[in-house]
Amino acid sequence: MQHTPGPWIADGIWIGTMDHETVAYADHHRNQTPRPLAQREADARLIAAAPELYKALEALAFAATLEGPPTARWQPLLLVAHAALVKAGKYEWRHNK
């Protein structure tokens, strides 16, 4: 399944599309200790940036391999980018033994 297309916006703790379709709320579960409103609003802004961050990571991963295998300077960035893209469902995790 694919995520809701971006861009997303944040308004307080609400995250949604430009058409005002709700994507998520950066809130706490009723059984959790409440987090400060400022922290939940910051979480909402970070979540709202997810579609653009996803595209940026895809572009980084592509650019790093344009001229063949990535060089040592790209390796740390690619490891972080790949891990985030795996977490977002872009790739399946493959562990080489």
Side-chain angles (χ1 to χ4, degrees), residues 5 9 11-13 19 23 26 35 39 41 49 56 62 65 67 76 94-95 97:
I9 55 175
D11 183 5
I13 63 169
D19 295 330
V23 172
R35 292 171 294 158
Q39 181 181 1
E41 289 174 338
F62 176 75
T65 58
E67 297 176 5
R94 293 189 187 125
H95 184 262
K97 292 184 179 183

Side-chain angles (χ1 to χ4, degrees), residues 3-10 14-24 48 51:
H3 66 78
T4 303
W8 298 347
I9 55 175
W14 176 85
I15 302 105
T17 67
M18 299 298 282
D19 295 330
H20 302 287
E21 180 182 329
T22 299
V23 172

Side-chain angles (χ1 to χ4, degrees), residues 21-97:
E21 180 182 329
T22 299
V23 172
Y25 285 93
D27 212 351
H28 58 273
H29 188 272
R30 67 180 173 269
N31 295 333
Q32 293 176 325
T33 303
R35 292 171 294 158
L37 178 59
Q39 181 181 1
R40 291 182 283 142
E41 289 174 338
D43 291 345
R45 289 189 300 274
L46 181 60
I47 294 166
E52 289 88 351
L53 293 170
Y54 184 88
K55 286 181 184 179
L57 290 174
E58 284 184 315
L60 171 70
F62 176 75
T65 58
L66 279 177
E67 297 176 5
T71 61
R73 73 177 185 177
W74 285 101
Q75 286 298 331
L77 291 171
L78 285 175
L79 287 173
V80 172
H82 184 75
L85 289 169
V86 167
K87 192 174 192 177
K90 173 72 175 176
Y91 308 110
E92 286 186 23
W93 178 256
R94 293 189 187 125
H95 184 262
N96 296 327
K97 292 184 179 183

